[in-house]
Every structure is written in structure tokens, then in C-alpha cells.
Amino acid sequence: MRIVVHGSELAAATAAAALSSVGHQVDWWPHPDAPWSQLSRAEWLTGEPGVVEQIDAGHRSGALRLFENGAGAAELSGEYDIAWLALAPDQRDAAEHFIELVAGQQSSPLVLVNNSTFPVGHTESLESLLRHASQVAVVLPDMLEEGRAWQAFTRPTRWLLGCEDDWAEDQVRELLRAFNRRAELFQRMPRRAAELTKLAINGMLATRISYMNEVAGLSDSLGVDVEYVRQGMGADTRIGYEYLYPGCGFGGPNFSRDLMRLADVQLATGRESQLLEQVLDINENKKETLFRKLWSHFHGQLENRTVAIWGAAFKPGTTRIDHAPVLTLLRALWAQGVHVRLHDPAALPAVRKEVGNHPLLTLCEGAPYEACEGADALILVTEWKCYWNPDWRRLGNMLQERLILDGRNIYDPAYVAARGLTYRGIGRRADPA
């Protein structure tokens, strides 16, 4: 098939790379605000396993053509089978311009695949810009996860397809056939239903996280280890274990954005979204929980103390810090005059870009233990695998106050306490014997 991809999101890059790797002829037109010369140096993309390597391979083989400075009618010559849109939510004008450009020179059948998170019902508006009855718009919501985008696209657990046209469904199935050997992976529904389903899924996942964080806070107040509660809840088949791990808050460019968009959808229909507002409020408050635990431990005497932080990215496997809990934590610590020594295996450039050269911040680019030199306490924010099994004896000798604040509950409280350190987690705690 001949495909044209438009957008500079991770979804656009992954689609261009994956589709060109299986025999399709792909033209990729990044958004003019983020051309390939810029994307090729972006840490969030270069750190995504497999994607940039396959883009380079497709470009060398000729299966993938890159338009560096935007495309016009002359560049987008010929007929396409598929036009794939993967734009940011605020780039709807770019989507309309692109469709008008493609549709203006297209006389043969065309399927427009909307892989962007636009308002519910917007795919129908995009279809109205197409020129012929044989040109149809469908919804294929972006379900990628940062850090494993290539795996999620090439080995999907399912595709959610919003489509009312049988021929368009057949075209999309053929487009993705190399990644989809089981027909049941496609779940077809009307377009608006697919657009809302994508938002509703993230809303449900966020609600589970925030609810579990509320339970963890209650566990702290009652002196209950929340791990027992989590295991008891997860064992109930009506609930399960997924997204049932308390922590110091979620972040990321898509998760938070989708929640706010779902709240906006409800507001636009005249329905006040009290539940989603509470979910978002709980999450923002939870980002402060590690600071409050530190404050409590030192009875508010934090000025001139030094704290080590492990992890800045909003989740392991990515370089991004969009809405990440570490940003809230840093602001709270600096307001109290705390010096911070921060380590992250991938996200330090993003931190430097966000906060600059702050006088109370030292970015540690070596081993994780470098951040602990001269520190009173260690705060774990992002559960990168390199942090899971530290040398506890070494940490005990390095940390002046021997305090561990575990924002992701990845450590065994009793084990840490048996090594002579004080452990404080999210709904969990243990003191040295």
C-alpha cells in the first residue's frame, strides 16, 4: 500500500517506521513545528527502543520518504491508499490543511486513519473535507505506551477501530495484517464510540491509581501495611491487580492530557465531571506525599539539608518529565532550602531544560550512588530497574540520617529496616530494630 503519515508525535514516528518495515511505501510528513532534523535529536524519540533504527533503515531502503520542511502538492504527488494522522490534540488546523492538500489531488479511494486524540466527533468533521464518496475516515486510537511503542505497535494485544464502512475496515485490516495474525484483535465500533472509549480507558486506569493512593493514605493513618490490602483487593477477580499499585502520583504527556480532555468532553455536554476532578486532585496531592513524609520525619527542619533523588522521568523507559511527580517534589524541597542531588539514567537533559541551572540542584550523571554523596536521605521517585536492588550496606554508610523514602513501594520494608535504615513508603513503613 501507499501511505502518507502526518505528525510529529511518537505515534507518527512509530507508524512510519513499522509500516515501512513490512513492505508498505510510506511518505512521512512531520508537523512543520517539529521537522525530522529536530525529531532525530529528541531524547524522547532516540530513547525509544527500535523506532529510530527502523526509521533509518526504511529511509536507506527507500521504503520511507521523509519530508523535512513540510510538504506541498508537488511533493505529495500521486495517489495514496491510506492517509495516517498522528497529530497533537491542539493541531486540528494542521489536520484539516493536510486533508485538503491530499484530497485535492486524490481521485481514487482513500482511507483516512485518525490516530490523533481529537475531540469526540471530530473524525466525522475530517471526513467532510474529503472529496469523494469512496474516501472514508476511520478512528484508530493511539494506544501506544512510551518506552515500548515499537512492541505495542508490532505485537498489539488489540486494535480499537472506529468505523462504519466495511470496505474501510478491510483496508485497515490489510494495512496492519503483518502485525495482526488474529482477526479477533480488531474490536470494531462506531467512530464516536471509539474516540470516547480511548479517553474512558485512561480515565478508568487513572481512577484505579488515585483510589489506591487514597487507600494508601488511609493505611498510613491506621498503621496498616497497604501491601496486604492491595493483595487482598487484587485477588478478587472482579478487581484484579492491574493499575492497583500506590505511588507518588502519575504523569506523562498523554495520560494527564486524556483525563483533562475527558473532563472537557463531559463539561461540553453540560455534565460536571466531579469524579474526574477528584481523580486529578488526588493525583496532584499525591505528588506532594514524599515531601510531607520528609517534612514529618525531620519535624519541619529541612533548611540546608541535602536529599538524593533517584528517578525523574514520569515512568521507566522514557526521557520525558511532563507532569512528572519529581517537578512538584523539587519545587517543594527548594522552597525549604533543601539541596537536591538527582540521578536518572535518561531524563537529566529534560530536567536541565525544564529548571535550568538551579543553585540547589546537582545533576548526577554517573552511578546512582553519586547522588547519595553527602545526602541525609534518599527519595525514590521513578522505579527504573537499576534502582531495584541497591547495596544497602553502602547506602547505610552514605546517608547521614539513613532514611529511605520509597515513592513506588518497590522495596521490602522489613528487609530495608533489618539493614539498619528507616523505611517510609506509600502506605508502608518500617523502623530499624
Side-chain angles (χ1 to χ4, degrees), residues 43-44 146 250-254 256 284 287 309 311-331 334 342-356 361 363 381-382 384:
E43 288 90 357
W44 62 265
E146 292 206 27
F250 59 78
N254 296 324
S256 302
E284 290 306 307
K287 293 177 182 180
I309 294 179
F314 77 88
K315 73 171 190 176
T318 182
T319 64
R320 297 205 193 195
I321 61 169
D322 310 57
H323 308 291
V326 74
L327 297 175
T328 301
L329 178 59
L330 287 174
R331 288 191 291 268
W334 292 337
L342 174 62
H343 180 274
D344 188 284
L348 293 186
V351 174
R352 186 179 292 109
K353 182 178 180 180
E354 177 70 22
V355 304
L361 176 65
L363 299 179
V381 176
T382 311
W384 289 94

Side-chain angles (χ1 to χ4, degrees), residues 179-191:
F179 318 115
N180 178 53
R181 301 301 295 274
R182 303 196 334 260
E184 67 271 17
L185 285 183
F186 274 95
Q187 184 177 7
R188 177 179 165 180
M189 60 182 65
R191 288 175 291 192

Side-chain angles (χ1 to χ4, degrees), residues 257-271 273 276:
R257 184 173 66 189
D258 285 353
L259 279 180
M260 291 184 282
R261 185 161 296 281
L262 182 56
D264 289 343
V265 169
Q266 286 196 287
L267 187 62
T269 63
R271 299 172 58 87
S273 180
L276 289 178

